[in-house]
Amino acid sequence: MKLPHIPTPDEIIDKAFNRASKAASKVRSSKLHPRVKGKRIEEVRVDTACDIITSTFNGIVVGTPIIEELPEFYQDYIDIVVGVDQYKHSLGAVFWALGVIKQIQSQYTSRIRKSDSLSAIPIRKEAYGRIVSIVKRIEDELDFLDFCKRELKNMPNINFDAIRVVIAGFPNVGKSTLLNNITDASPKVANYPFTTQGLQIGNYELGYKKYQIIDTPGLLDRSINDMNEIELNAIAALEHLGNIIIYIFDPSETSGFLMKNQYLLYAEIKKVFETQMICLFNKTDLLEDDSVIEEYSQKIDDPIFKTSINDLSNISDIKNLIEELGESFTPEDKYTEQYALRHPRK
């Protein structure tokens, strides 16, 4: 998600006062009558300084997405990563400061115009003092918005026109490998848990339709209250993005997780999300026999495939089933243009 540049209070003040000095220099070199020129110089300084600051604040307010206008997935994602309440509070503080600076501009330029040249200088200094005070007052909020910019810059780009398939399962069961084999994505793959630190996304087209495959971080069978940020992102993807869920089992248990626990997580996902599911028993080349697969297959009503890292023969069948299941979904184009990520304010 692209957020506007968030300058520090010192950067805002320095820029505003430097521009104000340059604007005053132009007035100083003009041919205005001396009795008028003094007042005009101070008025221009206040006016220019306030214009620069209001332009900066307005850029932040307009360029920062409004939470309520985003798809639910993005709302949850932002809440998980930075916190929606603080996000709204900080944006509200900038909006408040924008309004106050406009009031200062109107009030003090009017006072300067009604004063004499000697009185104009202390009035301008008073205005500058209030300007600095207001900008400094929202320093923490500006700092937080800058933190949001850094943390949300890699927020996943979801295509709401595509049929979306979310890959789920315990860590190290082969989710990233499946994503790499089905799509053009090249996720980081390694033989240790939680290799996937965020959502990995791949895309492909089949029969004039777009498909987006989303690899989620490995989930563990535990309460949401005990989940870390990585796992919560996976939950958000399952809840809001998946038209279809591919759940991967590792019957070899080389991932370090027992099949009974993997099945419990599968059953929980199926109960909570009520989304069409495809089940993959992966790493079958590491099994001496298929008895464990037969045991758990009897508990599963969803389509089942057997796969291994060295055998990609089922990939085309999996993609065909995704296409078949995806026939019932229509694009959610109400969000497509919105992933700019917002409507302009009026």
Side-chain angles (χ1 to χ4, degrees):
M1 181 168 76
K2 188 175 181 180
L3 294 176
H5 172 64
I6 310 294
T8 66
D10 287 340
E11 289 172 340
I12 295 171
I13 293 166
D14 288 346
K15 179 181 179 181
F17 289 173
N18 285 336
R19 292 282 184 88
S21 294
K22 290 179 181 179
S25 295
K26 292 182 180 180
V27 177
R28 193 172 285 111
S29 61
S30 69
K31 297 181 180 180
L32 289 173
H33 191 281
R35 292 177 58 185
V36 178
K37 184 182 292 187
K39 291 196 301 181
R40 183 59 183 157
I41 287 172
E42 304 307 325
E43 180 186 349
V44 165
R45 291 178 73 175
V46 172
D47 216 25
T48 302
C50 290
D51 279 345
I52 294 298
I53 295 172
T54 55
S55 176
T56 300
F57 287 166
N58 190 63
I60 293 172
V61 170
V62 171
T64 302
I66 298 174
I67 293 293
E68 289 77 11
E69 292 182 353
L70 299 177
E72 290 184 0
F73 167 73
Y74 289 125
Q75 295 183 37
D76 280 0
Y77 187 98
I78 291 171
D79 196 26
I80 291 166
V81 176
V82 299
V84 164
D85 289 342
Q86 183 59 46
Y87 179 96
K88 290 181 177 180
H89 172 78
S90 296
L91 190 59
V94 176
F95 188 75
W96 166 82
L98 172 62
V100 175
I101 293 296
K102 287 181 177 180
Q103 291 176 358
I104 290 173
Q105 182 175 13
S106 175
Q107 176 184 352
Y108 281 89
T109 53
S110 177
R111 285 180 58 188
I112 290 172
R113 282 195 295 270
K114 295 175 182 178
S115 70
D116 55 54
S117 293
L118 290 178
S119 300
I121 295 175
I123 295 174
R124 186 266 305 168
K125 288 182 177 180
E126 182 181 330
Y128 270 22
R130 288 195 60 190
I131 289 170
V132 170
S133 175
I134 295 301
V135 176
K136 291 282 190 181
R137 187 169 173 178
I138 62 167
E139 181 172 7
D140 289 345
E141 285 76 17
L142 291 172
D143 185 60
F144 180 79
L145 290 174
D146 186 55
F147 163 76
C148 292
K149 178 180 175 64
R150 296 192 305 271
E151 293 297 310
L152 298 176
K153 66 178 180 180
N154 294 321
M155 192 163 78
N157 187 3
I158 304 302
N159 181 2
F160 288 94
D161 278 339
I163 294 168
R164 299 179 304 281
V165 181
V166 175
I167 305 174
F170 271 69
N172 205 32
V173 296
K175 298 188 299 297
S176 296
T177 301
L178 178 66
L179 172 69
N180 195 29
N181 290 334
I182 290 182
T183 72
D184 55 5
S186 298
K188 178 182 178 183
V189 179
N191 189 32
Y192 57 87
F194 293 107
T195 304
T196 305
Q197 297 295 303
L199 301 181
Q200 305 288 334
I201 296 176
N203 300 275
Y204 70 92
E205 291 189 21
L206 184 65
Y208 302 103
K209 283 191 175 182
K210 295 179 180 179
Y211 296 84
Q212 189 167 69
I213 313 298
I214 303 164
D215 170 26
T216 61
L219 289 168
L220 297 177
D221 184 22
R222 58 185 177 185
S223 166
I224 287 182
N225 292 330
D226 296 326
M227 289 183 176
N228 58 34
E229 182 180 309
I230 296 172
E231 294 172 283
L232 289 172
N233 283 331
I235 292 294
L238 289 171
E239 181 178 2
H240 300 302
L241 300 183
N243 302 129
I244 301 166
I245 296 174
I246 296 180
Y247 187 88
I248 302 183
F249 290 96
D250 170 21
S252 73
E253 299 182 348
T254 56
S255 58
F257 302 100
L258 298 176
M259 271 297 292
K260 65 178 182 180
N261 293 330
Q262 296 180 56
Y263 177 78
L264 287 174
L265 178 59
Y266 156 79
E268 187 67 18
I269 289 174
K270 186 174 180 63
K271 179 179 70 175
V272 171
F273 298 108
E274 299 181 347
T275 302
Q276 294 187 95
M277 295 181 72
I278 300 171
C279 292
L280 269 61
F281 285 90
N282 195 29
K283 303 186 182 182
T284 55
D285 54 324
L286 302 179
L287 291 174
E288 294 183 0
D289 61 69
D290 288 348
S291 60
V292 66
I293 295 178
E294 293 175 4
E295 175 188 350
Y296 282 94
S297 293
Q298 295 176 6
K299 304 177 182 180
I300 296 171
D301 297 328
D302 300 303
I304 294 173
F305 290 91
K306 298 177 184 179
T307 60
S308 70
I309 293 175
N310 299 318
D311 182 7
L312 306 180
S313 59
N314 281 326
I315 295 300
S316 60
D317 292 334
I318 294 170
K319 293 175 76 171
N320 288 337
L321 180 56
I322 290 172
E323 182 182 21
E324 180 182 329
L325 295 176
E327 288 295 330
S328 61
F329 298 107
T330 55
E332 299 171 27
D333 54 8
K334 65 180 179 178
Y335 292 130
T336 303
E337 294 182 1
Q338 189 170 313
Y339 189 63
L341 272 167
R342 57 157 308 167
H343 300 301
R345 289 176 181 266
K346 295 181 179 180

